[in-house]
Amino acid sequence: MTKIVIVGGVAGGASAAARARRLSEDAEIIMFERGEFISFANCGLPYHIGGEITERSNLLLQTPQSFLARFNVDVRIMSEVLSINKEKKLVTVHNLRDSSEYTERYDFLVLSPGAGTIVPPIPGIDNPITHSLRNIPDMDKILNTIRMNRPEHATVVGGGFIGLEVMEAFHQRGIKTTLVEFADQVMTSVDREMAGFAHAEILSKGIDLRLGVALEAAEYVTESHLPNLESGESGLHSHLQGQLNLTLSDGERIKTDILVMAIGVRPDIKLAQQAGLKIGELGGIWTTPSMQSSDPSIYAVGDAVEEADFVTGKSTIVPLAGPANRQGRMAADNIFGREVTYQGTQGTAICKIFDLAVASTGKNEKTLKREGIAYKKVYVHTASHASYYPGAEIVSFKMLYCPDSKKILGAQAAGKDGVDKRIDIMAVAQRAGMTIDQLQHLELSYAPPFGSAKDVINQAAFVANNIENGDLKAIHFDEIDRLDEHQLLLDVRTAGEIEKFGTLEGAINIPVDELRQRMGELPKNKEIIVFCAVGVRGHVAYRQLANRGYKARNLLGGYRTYSFAKI
């Protein structure tokens, strides 16, 4: 009888246990979890803090009892695996309830230890009202501080997925919030100009957004050291646990009643290192495409492992629930001789930021530049469904593709509706190896409430193919501030639009519908840089100019891309 021991009872570990049982009724399966909970919805934690998920119990997808009943898996919570003896195939387990230790034999071992929150050694950061958010106990501590401290102000450090979600949770609770991010943008999985849409949404909600600064120090002030407020003075009800005086790298100081550190996670490789398993160059557990570690009897899955990037083939670490679940399933398959391999990680992800969704798949432009990978990019901004049907929202879409193979390298989108649909389609198209030419021919569902006859993705493909076929010469937002005296900006929007939204410095205005009659006003000895709101009218104007022998380029994504890139 095969004996399988699994370390870690959340996404990857629980998936491996359930799959192993579905493949064999005879196997003995033991799952160790050092915490109190297994198979909990860690992605839902911020939404319980904010109140969208009202019942804490809804986050507990399985309990040890329910997992035993359904899958006949021996789940041992509050049990930390301390060490692995590869030669004897033994693990040493510490029972956290009674402090006893014992060993357990295995035929196959699956490591799914996850990742730990990064908390840098900032002076004063170890205090009762500073938290991180990775599991149920972390969430409970944050909620307890909210109950006890009744905060008027919260600070979140880190503008990634967790930081943004916690920021929104505090706002939902009516707590004034500051978001501090060391980079010049939030959500670094997308490029800076696409993050501009998130910045605009965050600022519109009254969040104090601090970009390009870091937290340098925290001073915890207990209740006894706080100012003695007179009865009725604002703030008397607050600070029952204390307050923090935060110092930022730009010299600014913030007083706050609760602090959440959300600057990222680091693979938990302590157990693998102790066992002498190979660690990858990026600091995660090295695995084969079959999810085997350097020891063929030990598999590793989830946030602790390095996996192959789908685009580059190089090692990457992507702490997402989807890859972890698939890897756990595959490890179980391979234990029972199925011989399946992991096909790489695209990093497909989406984040809700108040009323906005921002999503991406594949590589972003920053990474492609860093890796020295040739690429081209296009932008489109168009309606989520037929614009004449009520409720249509703008989807702002960026696509990156290989100029040689024409295959998709990555895609990013932001908007209030339809973002998930477009990025999911692009993730499938990328995995299928589709080219920009094939994207033109995607036949997507259309009815006015759901889509358009020419979908966002079709339109992006049209623009890319126009470039490749020589029907369009493009210029991008990041080139506009570097124009010289041999180039002329032409705004082809209406005068009313310019008055309402502004224009680029130095631009002359000839509305597109007047261009044929007024083209003689433009010099032929300069390159005409055409732009409109989103690029569509700019392309019409560009074609008119090109057909008349003018040297011209069209600003892809128009004034919308340029303006949001500046936020």
Side-chain angles (χ1 to χ4, degrees):
M1 181 173 63
T2 301
K3 184 173 182 178
I4 302 169
V5 168
I6 299 169
V7 179
V10 192
S15 293
R19 178 63 172 173
R21 176 57 70 218
R22 287 194 293 269
L23 294 178
S24 171
E25 274 296 312
D26 297 327
E28 182 182 359
I29 306 171
I30 302 174
M31 185 164 69
F32 293 107
E33 169 56 49
R34 63 187 162 199
E36 185 181 350
F37 305 97
I38 65 160
S39 195
F40 62 88
N42 50 2
C43 295
L45 302 178
Y47 299 106
H48 181 57
I49 293 172
E52 292 93 339
I53 299 174
T54 57
E55 298 298 325
R56 179 177 180 274
S57 59
N58 291 342
L59 299 171
L60 306 176
L61 307 179
Q62 293 280 354
T63 65
Q65 295 76 24
S66 67
F67 214 80
L68 175 64
R70 180 164 298 181
F71 298 111
N72 192 24
V73 171
D74 181 2
V75 179
R76 304 181 191 177
I77 59 173
M78 304 301 291
S79 298
E80 182 178 13
V81 176
L82 298 177
S83 62
I84 302 168
N85 186 322
K86 294 184 298 182
E87 289 71 27
K88 296 182 178 180
K89 291 190 175 183
L90 293 173
V91 294
T92 300
V93 184
H94 177 211
N95 186 324
L96 297 173
R97 285 174 166 156
D98 61 14
S99 295
S100 62
E101 288 187 10
Y102 62 96
T103 60
E104 197 72 54
R105 184 190 64 82
Y106 66 85
D107 295 311
F108 293 98
L109 180 64
V110 179
L111 299 180
S112 184
T117 304
I118 298 172
V119 179
I122 296 172
I125 202 69
D126 186 13
N127 62 74
I129 58 173
T130 293
H131 304 280
S132 58
L133 181 61
R134 188 67 180 163
N135 52 40
I136 297 281
D138 290 342
M139 179 190 73
D140 290 341
K141 290 176 184 176
I142 291 172
L143 288 171
N144 185 60
T145 293
I146 291 173
R147 282 190 295 268
M148 294 293 295
N149 226 29
R150 287 175 275 176
E152 295 177 347
H153 184 277
T155 300
V156 179
V157 177
F161 292 97
I162 296 297
L164 291 169
E165 289 162 358
V166 172
M167 169 201 73
E168 182 174 352
F170 285 141
H171 183 271
Q172 290 286 101
R173 299 184 70 108
I175 303 170
K176 185 174 176 58
T177 304
T178 295
L179 178 65
V180 176
E181 169 54 55
F182 181 64
D184 65 349
Q185 67 169 93
V186 301
M187 204 173 171
T188 55
S189 56
V190 302
D191 291 311
R192 177 63 179 75
E193 71 277 16
M194 298 301 290
F197 297 102
H199 298 161
E201 181 72 8
I202 291 166
L203 292 169
S204 75
K205 300 299 183 182
I207 300 296
D208 176 24
L209 178 61
R210 310 285 187 102
L211 298 174
V213 294
L215 176 62
E216 285 198 340
E219 178 192 9
Y220 179 58
V221 183
T222 61
E223 184 186 3
S224 60
H225 291 91
L226 288 169
N228 184 24
L229 301 177
E230 296 296 329
S231 178
E233 188 174 346
S234 175
L236 181 62
H237 65 282
S238 293
H239 320 317
L240 301 183
Q241 285 187 322
Q243 190 180 61
L244 288 171
N245 295 324
L246 306 180
T247 303
L248 304 183
S249 58
D250 61 358
E252 290 288 318
R253 294 177 67 85
I254 298 172
K255 292 185 183 296
T256 198
D257 306 314
I258 182 171
L259 171 65
V260 174
M261 299 295 295
I263 65 173
V265 296
R266 183 181 291 116
D268 185 346
I269 59 172
K270 181 174 65 174
L271 193 58
Q273 284 179 313
Q274 174 277 323
L277 298 178
K278 182 178 178 181
I279 304 300
E281 293 181 359
L282 301 179
I285 302 172
W286 178 90
T287 59
T288 69
S290 301
M291 306 314 301
Q292 278 180 312
S293 72
S294 52
D295 184 306
S297 297
I298 302 176
Y299 291 77
V301 302
D303 295 356
V305 308
E306 293 185 11
E307 58 240 330
D309 180 89
F310 181 81
V311 175
T312 67
K314 296 181 179 180
S315 291
T316 187
I317 298 175
V318 182
L320 293 172
N325 277 278
R326 294 196 304 276
Q327 291 165 3
R329 175 187 172 93
M330 288 175 47
D333 279 351
N334 289 323
I335 285 172
F336 289 100
R338 293 290 181 100
E339 297 185 359
V340 294
T341 57
Y342 190 67
Q343 302 297 307
T345 293
Q346 294 166 274
T348 307
I350 188 168
C351 186
K352 175 184 177 294
I353 305 170
F354 299 110
D355 298 324
L356 191 77
V358 182
S360 63
T361 191
K363 310 309 289 181
N364 58 36
E365 187 175 355
K366 300 187 293 280
T367 306
L368 294 172
K369 283 182 179 178
R370 188 170 62 246
E371 296 282 344
I373 298 172
Y375 67 92
K376 288 185 180 179
K377 60 183 178 181
V378 298
Y379 300 90
V380 295
H381 307 277
T382 191
S384 57
H385 60 249
S387 58
Y388 56 83
Y389 187 88
E393 299 283 355
I394 295 176
V395 175
S396 297
F397 186 83
K398 177 180 183 178
M399 180 174 70
L400 299 144
Y401 65 94
C402 174
D404 296 324
S405 70
K406 309 299 187 291
K407 289 185 177 181
I408 302 155
L409 296 174
Q412 302 163 36
K416 295 184 178 181
D417 180 55
V419 167
D420 53 346
K421 171 182 175 179
R422 273 67 187 207
I423 289 299
D424 285 346
I425 292 169
M426 290 301 293
V428 173
Q430 182 183 50
R431 191 164 285 273
M434 294 181 69
T435 65
I436 57 170
D437 179 62
Q438 291 170 320
L439 282 184
Q440 295 181 106
H441 304 291
L442 281 183
E443 190 171 329
L444 304 174
S445 59
Y446 163 57
F450 303 107
S452 300
K454 292 186 292 186
D455 189 79
V456 177
I457 292 172
N458 297 126
Q459 293 194 40
F462 294 154
V463 174
N465 280 280
N466 280 341
I467 293 172
E468 296 306 315
N469 295 333
D471 296 330
L472 169 62
K473 189 172 182 182
I475 190 169
H476 291 292
F477 76 95
D478 49 1
E479 301 173 75
I480 293 299
D481 294 339
R482 302 194 304 271
L483 300 182
D484 59 33
E485 68 273 13
H486 303 294
Q487 295 166 304
L488 176 69
L489 282 165
L490 174 63
D491 189 337
V492 297
R493 296 173 298 161
T494 65
E497 288 177 272
I498 293 172
E499 184 178 355
K500 183 176 181 180
F501 299 109
T503 188
L504 298 175
E505 185 178 354
I508 65 171
N509 174 226
I510 302 178
V512 64
D513 294 336
E514 300 175 16
L515 184 59
R516 282 189 178 88
Q517 290 73 39
R518 298 177 57 185
M519 201 173 292
E521 300 175 24
L522 299 172
K524 279 205 168 184
N525 64 343
K526 289 190 176 185
E527 182 181 47
I528 310 300
I529 306 300
V530 187
F531 70 95
C532 65
V534 298
V536 177
R537 285 172 291 172
H539 180 61
V540 173
Y542 166 82
R543 288 308 310 163
Q544 291 180 31
L545 291 165
N547 288 338
R548 294 284 187 89
Y550 283 83
K551 184 181 179 183
R553 284 196 279 171
N554 183 29
L555 174 60
L556 291 195
Y559 187 68
R560 181 176 175 85
T561 296
Y562 179 89
S563 58
F564 275 92
K566 300 295 184 178
I567 299 176

